[in-house]
Structure formats: structure tokens, C-alpha cells
Amino acid sequence: MMKKQERIDFLIQELEKLYPNLPIPLHHQDAFTLLIAVLLSAQTTDKKVNEVTPALFARANNAKEMMQLEVEEIKEYIKQIGLSNTKAKNIRLLSEMLVEKYDGEVPSTFEQLEELPGVGHKTASVVMAQWFGIPAFPVDTHIHRLMKLWKLTKGKNVEETERDAKRIFPREVWNKLHIQIIMYGREYSPARGWSLEKDYITRKMFEKIVLSKNNLFQGSRERKSLYDVAYLRDGKKKPIVIFSHGFKGFKDHGCFDLMAKFWATNHFAFIKYNFSYNGIGLTNTQKFTELEAFGENNYSTELDDLGLVISHAISGDWIPEKEINRDEVYLIGHSRGGGITILKGIEDPRVKKIATLGAISYLDRFRNYSEQELEDWKDSGVYRFQNMRTQQWMPMNYQFYEDYIQHENRLSIEKNIQNLSIPYLNLHGDADETVSVEEAKNLKRWNPTIELQVLAGVDHAFGSKEPWTEGQLPEDFLWAMELIRDFFLEKK
């Protein structure tokens, strides 16, 4: 839940995003027509006022003309408006007073305006703010209701709420902000039919889940990358879950943001990140704009990136220390990220459990290349393949192969997995079209202690796709997350 100043700052920021250019709620031509329109708007809608004022103002659009009309004639024009009897009398009386005291002009002080018949502080404030540009914060019942909903006032009435509003909001935003709040209330937070799901400002103000995206960190080869964190801010220590994406993947792929919320709501401190050479830049976080970097990626870099992420995670740099249990670090990896997760679980004693989704069983993905193909790759320095989703031609530089050969003792899953001493849950769909389920069986054969679950009818993405536009996790993905959650919670 946000603290009070955080709620104030968030409110101003979000309303400015929603309503940067304010329409004129009440149609008017000058101070007089605005004054009349605001007076009429009490206990009725702006839409209804705008329906009746054109005819009224065509008959009389200034104080001198209006005072010539009989009350009954004014009432006839505004009879669709609530309290039309009283309002017609006040319009006639204030017009006479404007002519007698101000030669028909609308005065420009609160005191003078509030002396006029039917003009209270709220009406005077609207005129002062919208016509004369004098900072004012007129509070109606809608603003009063929302201010109390957001716990920004304890005011028992609109007058007390106005005092609080003027105290907490910067003076320079008053004139615009009060209208923005009214517009938000009508569109997202109506008194009737209110829904927390729709009222996203209220929801975000008071939800305890922290979702922080696109934070910067330094990767293992001095290249900057991005990470996200998600956790429930309750001051209780939670296991840390770190997710590694796959080949041609990235931290924001498909339903991964919803996955982050899943782990946070289940009382884990969750981190997802981009491998520093995955081809995703720092600004456009869902497109491969850094193909040169993509070509320079290799397995050692990804393993070292994950090591750095673990170090940041347990240090309290990324998530407050009071929210994390550094003795419970769990890893999840998808596809090639699953292979990296396996190797990190083997080599890093800080990791206590791992789980993978559709993981590869070997990193030597070029084992079937002929000598001639390897020679051609070396001579050209780069091999290119097409990303079928984006239609881009992705480079893979020869250094990728050299890195594997040079560090094969570290990078061979088959040679190292016998040394895995921590619990490992391997989830693999039998409908995986990208990584054969036989690779999951390889892992189980090499280390029988692995808990393998083959999920019927599940594909490589576990039902997700890029982009993912639904508001909830795919059914198969949710199934996998629940299995991993229960596995991490088991006491082993």
C-alpha cells in the first residue's frame, strides 16, 4: 500500500496521463454565461446543463438582458434542470445585483461572488479557477467521495475536504486537478456500480503488491540490461524466485508479467530479467533492436548474468532485505533458460531448488553440424537464421561456438547433472513442438533424482504467446506455476 505522499504523487501523475488536455465541461462564452452554467449544474449533470443553456443564452447572454426576463420565463428555459424554481429566481436576482453593483460585469473576488444570490463557495471557486485563472479547488460531492476513498481527507463535509485538498496538493495544479478528479470519478469510479477492477487508481494505491519494471543493472560483460521485481510489501521474509527466459526470449515475453504477479500474490519475492546480450535494448523492451549484441551472446555470459542477478537479489539491492529470505533462492528457467538454470543450480551453492519449463538437455546445439558447416561458419564469422515470429534475420557469431568448446567442462549438462544435489522439478509438455520431450527423459536418465512431470497436451510455451493480451495466465501456464509453487513450498 502506498504511503500518503506516494498516493498524492501517483494521483497527480496518473490523472495528467489520462486527461492532459481538459475539455470545457460547461459550455460558455464569458464569465457571465459560465457563472449561470455553474449555478445550474448543482444537483444535475453537465450534459443536461449544456442541453438547456443554448436557448437561454440565445434569449439573454448578459446580466442586463437577463434581468429583463420574468422568473417564469427563465424557469421555462431551465425546467428540465433540478431545483428550477429556486435557480430561476437566483438567476434573475444575481443579474439585477450585477447590473446595480458592477455595471453588469462579473466580479473577480471570492467575497464579491459569494454575495450574489445562489452563488456559494463551490460556484465561486469554479468561476475563479476557470475564468479568472485564480488558483481554487472547488470540491463537490464527487471529489469529497473520492478524497475519502483515497484516504486523503477525514473531512466530514465538502468544506473540510477542500481545506485538506488545498493543503496537500500543489497550488499550481489546483485548477486542473479538481476537474481531472471529477472526470476520473465519472469514467472509472462512479458512486453507482463502482468496481475496484475498473477503478485502477484506487486499486494501485492500496494494493500491497510492488511491481517494479525496467530497472537497470550491469551485466557480466559490462553491458547494461533490465530487470523487474514483484513482491508483497508486508515486511515478512519470503523465498526468492528468479526466472530466466529462453532463446529468442525476453523478460516481457507473452504472459511473463502475469507470472510475476502470480508469484508476488503467493508470497514469493520474484525477479525476471533480460540476459544482457539477448538483443533487447533499454528503451524498446519488446523488440530485438540490438542484433549486434545478440550475435555476441554466449552460454558463459548467460550463466554469469544469472550469477550477478542472484548476488543482487540476496544483497537487498533490488528488494528490501526485510522482504527476502536469502537462504531460500529458487530458480525457474524456460527452454534454453532452463539449461542455464540447471547449470547454475549445479555450480552455485546459494541456489536451493530449481524448476524448468520445456528445458533443453544439452547446450551443444551444433553437435550435428558437419565439418564443412563449421568451417564455413568460422570463415564468415557469423551464421544467420530467421526468427519466424519477427521475420528478422538473427546473427550468431562464431564466438558462440568457441565459447562452448573453450568452457565445455562447465557448459555440458550431460557431464555435470550427475553432480546436482538440490531438488529439481522438470515440467515438459508432451505436445512441445520446439524441444522434444525426449530431452526431458534424457535429463531424468542422467540423474534419476530429478522429479519429471510430463504434462499432457501442453506445448512449448505452456499456452502463452507474444503478445499475450488476456488478463489472466493461460490455463497450462497457471497449471505449471502452481506445480512449481507447491514444489518450492515442500520441505525437503
Side-chain angles (χ1 to χ4, degrees):
M1 183 173 70
M2 296 181 187
K3 296 178 181 178
K4 185 173 183 180
Q5 189 58 50
E6 291 174 329
R7 297 199 299 277
I8 292 168
D9 295 341
F10 174 72
L11 177 65
I12 295 172
Q13 174 185 330
E14 288 302 307
L15 291 180
E16 186 60 27
K17 288 180 185 176
L18 284 174
Y19 311 111
N21 301 306
L22 293 177
I24 299 173
L26 294 169
H27 300 165
H28 61 278
Q29 297 85 44
D30 52 25
F32 177 77
T33 51
L34 174 61
L35 176 63
I36 300 303
V38 177
L39 186 152
L40 290 173
S41 70
Q43 298 187 34
T44 191
T45 65
D46 291 350
K47 180 181 178 182
K48 182 60 68 175
V49 173
N50 289 334
E51 288 175 359
V52 303
T53 51
L56 175 64
F57 294 153
R59 179 71 176 85
N61 65 359
N62 59 70
K64 292 179 181 178
E65 291 180 355
M66 192 71 74
M67 66 177 287
Q68 302 300 321
L69 303 184
E70 297 295 332
V71 171
E72 287 302 316
E73 185 177 357
I74 297 174
K75 179 184 172 183
E76 187 63 25
Y77 283 108
I78 66 170
K79 61 185 178 181
Q80 300 176 50
I81 299 288
L83 305 176
S84 59
N85 285 337
T86 301
K87 290 176 181 177
K89 293 177 183 176
N90 286 332
I91 289 172
R92 169 67 185 276
L93 289 172
L94 75 80
S95 297
E96 291 177 352
M97 188 170 178
L98 288 176
V99 171
E100 292 172 2
K101 294 190 67 173
Y102 306 107
D103 195 28
E105 299 297 318
V106 176
S108 59
T109 71
F110 282 99
E111 294 76 10
Q112 291 170 323
L113 283 170
E114 291 177 32
E115 285 179 354
L116 299 173
V119 177
H121 182 68
K122 184 236 176 183
T123 298
S125 295
V126 173
V127 174
M128 291 294 286
Q130 293 186 25
W131 185 257
F132 294 108
I134 305 299
F137 205 103
V139 171
D140 62 6
T141 55
H142 301 295
I143 295 177
H144 176 63
R145 175 179 60 84
L146 289 169
M147 290 278 288
K148 290 182 76 68
L149 181 64
W150 295 328
K151 296 185 178 180
L152 297 178
T153 183
K154 294 182 180 179
K156 297 177 182 178
N157 50 53
V158 294
E159 291 78 18
E160 291 180 6
T161 298
E162 180 181 333
R163 284 195 292 271
D164 287 337
K166 289 181 174 179
R167 179 175 52 81
I168 65 175
F169 294 126
R171 184 179 174 86
E172 62 269 18
V173 304
W174 289 358
N175 288 356
K176 191 174 186 180
L177 184 62
H178 82 273
I179 300 176
Q180 291 171 322
I181 292 175
I182 292 171
M183 294 178 67
Y184 179 83
R186 290 172 179 168
E187 186 172 358
Y188 293 94
S189 186
R192 293 182 180 179
W194 178 83
S195 163
L196 183 61
E197 187 63 28
K198 185 176 183 181
D199 185 359
Y200 82 95
I201 284 182
T202 302
R203 187 176 71 251
K204 288 183 177 295
M205 278 182 175
F206 296 101
E207 68 182 2
K208 292 184 178 181
I209 293 177
V210 175
L211 296 171
S212 178
K213 286 184 62 63
N214 298 326
N215 304 286
L216 205 63
F217 79 100
Q218 190 81 31
S220 60
R221 285 163 54 196
E222 301 304 311
R223 180 176 174 81
K224 291 182 173 62
S225 193
L226 299 173
Y227 71 92
D228 301 343
V229 300
Y231 62 94
L232 191 66
R233 182 166 49 195
D234 59 3
K236 298 178 181 178
K237 292 187 178 296
K238 309 163 189 67
I240 300 169
V241 173
I242 300 172
F243 177 81
S244 298
H245 64 75
F247 184 53
K248 296 180 294 181
F250 46 94
K251 69 177 180 63
D252 294 334
H253 191 281
C255 66
F256 290 172
D257 278 349
L258 293 171
M259 172 177 60
K261 186 171 287 189
F262 169 89
W263 286 102
T265 56
N266 279 275
H267 301 274
F268 290 80
F270 181 81
I271 297 171
K272 59 186 174 80
Y273 66 102
N274 282 334
F275 287 117
S276 57
Y277 279 78
N278 73 341
I280 300 292
L282 302 180
T283 53
N284 191 332
T285 62
Q286 291 185 293
K287 291 186 181 296
F288 292 102
T289 57
E290 307 288 333
L291 294 184
E292 184 177 340
F294 184 94
E296 284 298 311
N297 195 21
N298 57 53
Y299 297 130
S300 295
T301 297
E302 292 189 348
L303 265 176
D304 293 342
D305 280 348
L306 180 50
L308 286 173
V309 171
I310 294 171
S311 295
H312 284 295
I314 65 176
S315 70
D317 291 347
W318 291 0
I319 300 175
E321 286 190 50
K322 65 181 180 180
E323 305 288 353
I324 58 172
N325 183 346
R326 56 170 53 92
D327 294 325
E328 292 185 88
V329 176
Y330 306 144
L331 305 183
I332 305 175
H334 176 245
S335 195
R336 189 168 105 180
I340 297 298
T341 291
I342 293 168
L343 291 174
K344 184 54 67 176
I346 294 167
E347 72 176 21
D348 196 324
R350 299 174 297 180
V351 179
K352 304 308 179 186
K353 290 185 181 183
I354 62 172
T356 60
L357 306 165
I360 60 176
S361 63
Y362 59 94
L363 299 185
D364 182 6
R365 310 309 282 185
F366 21 76
R367 59 173 58 181
N368 295 322
Y369 286 20
S370 67
E371 288 187 12
Q372 185 59 53
E373 287 175 321
L374 289 172
E375 192 64 31
D376 291 344
W377 189 10
K378 181 178 181 180
D379 289 343
S380 67
V382 62
Y383 165 78
R384 298 183 187 277
F385 64 93
Q386 191 170 24
N387 183 328
M388 299 310 294
R389 182 180 65 84
T390 67
Q391 299 300 303
Q392 292 171 288
W393 286 92
M394 315 291 285
M396 184 179 291
N397 296 348
Y398 188 69
Q399 63 82 31
F400 184 82
Y401 175 74
E402 292 179 313
D403 172 72
Y404 182 83
I405 297 302
Q406 183 179 352
H407 302 105
E408 185 173 3
N409 287 337
R410 182 191 187 197
L411 299 176
S412 172
I413 296 174
E414 182 177 359
K415 292 178 181 178
N416 288 299
I417 199 166
Q418 298 174 33
N419 300 319
L420 181 68
S421 59
I422 59 175
Y424 169 24
L425 173 63
N426 183 8
L427 302 181
H428 212 112
D430 67 1
D432 192 322
E433 71 286 3
T434 303
V435 178
S436 169
V437 72
E438 293 303 314
E439 297 207 36
K441 295 176 181 178
N442 286 341
L443 294 169
K444 177 70 172 178
R445 188 173 66 254
W446 297 335
N447 187 330
T449 68
I450 295 171
E451 183 178 336
L452 170 61
Q453 291 196 38
V454 178
L455 307 183
V458 174
D459 62 15
H460 187 62
F462 287 73
S464 184
K465 63 181 179 179
E466 172 60 27
W468 182 255
T469 57
E470 303 297 322
Q472 59 280 329
L473 286 169
E475 185 176 337
D476 289 344
F477 206 101
L478 177 60
W479 181 19
M481 292 300 103
E482 289 175 339
L483 289 171
I484 296 173
R485 175 200 61 197
D486 294 345
F487 171 73
F488 285 163
L489 290 174
E490 288 176 9
K491 298 299 181 183
K492 290 188 177 180

